[in-house]
Amino acid sequence: LRVAPNVVSFNAAIHATDDWQVALRLLEMLLSRFRLQPDLYSFNLALAACREQWTVVLSLLTQWRQGLLVSKLRPDVVSFNTALAAVSSSGAPGDWTRAIDLLETMREDRVPPDLQSYSRALDACSGARRWEEPLG
C-alpha cells in the first residue's frame, strides 16, 4: 500500500522538525516536487521553524507577500507576529526599525495588528529606547 504525500503530511513533518533548514526544504518540496498547494498553516509553520533566523523569516515573508511562492494565499496576523517575534528577539542593530516596518506592512496588507503585534514591536523598540514608535 502506497500513500501519496499531501499538505497535511507535509505540515506534520514541518511541525515535527526543529531544524529550520529542513522545514524550508519540506516547504520547497511541497511546492515544486509534489506540486501541492500549501495552506496558511504550512507557511506559518515554516516561519515558526525559522524564528531564530530573522533574515530568513523576513525573506520568506517577503517572497510570500509578493506572490513568488503562491498567488492567492496571503500572510495573516500569525505570520506577521512570527516575523515580529523573530525581529524583536534578534538583538540585531536596527531591529526596532524592522519591527516598525512590519507593522506598516501589516497596515498596507490590511492585516490588523493585534495585542501581540504591538507587544512584539514594543519589545524591539524598548531595547533601542524607541518605545513610542509603535504607538504612532
Side-chain angles (χ1 to χ4, degrees):
L1 178 69
R2 186 173 177 156
V3 178
N6 60 26
V7 173
V8 174
S9 61
F10 272 97
N11 287 352
I14 294 169
H15 181 71
T17 187
D18 58 357
D19 183 326
W20 65 272
Q21 293 171 320
V22 171
L24 290 181
R25 272 187 258 140
L26 287 165
L27 184 63
E28 198 269 320
M29 285 175 61
L30 173 68
L31 287 162
S32 61
R33 182 172 171 201
F34 291 95
R35 301 190 193 286
L36 295 170
Q37 186 71 19
D39 58 17
L40 188 59
Y41 194 53
S42 309
F43 282 105
N44 285 340
L45 285 169
L47 287 170
C50 298
R51 68 188 164 275
E52 293 186 21
Q53 306 294 324
W54 66 268
T55 57
V56 175
V57 169
L58 293 182
S59 175
L60 180 59
L61 186 66
T62 300
Q63 291 176 53
W64 182 12
R65 285 184 61 246
Q66 293 174 345
L68 300 175
L69 302 174
V70 290
S71 59
K72 296 181 182 181
L73 189 63
R74 295 289 175 239
D76 67 355
V77 70
V78 173
S79 316
F80 281 102
N81 286 348
T82 302
L84 282 161
V87 165
S88 71
S89 65
S90 74
D95 58 358
W96 73 272
T97 59
R98 286 183 282 279
I100 298 303
D101 289 346
L102 282 166
L103 285 178
E104 182 58 34
T105 300
M106 290 176 79
R107 291 183 191 105
E108 290 170 7
D109 289 1
R110 295 189 173 97
V111 177
D114 64 8
L115 181 61
Q116 186 178 8
S117 310
Y118 288 112
S119 176
R120 295 294 187 183
L122 280 169
D123 286 345
C125 292
S126 65
R129 299 181 194 258
R130 306 290 296 221
W131 62 268
E132 72 283 353
E133 295 289 334
L135 304 176

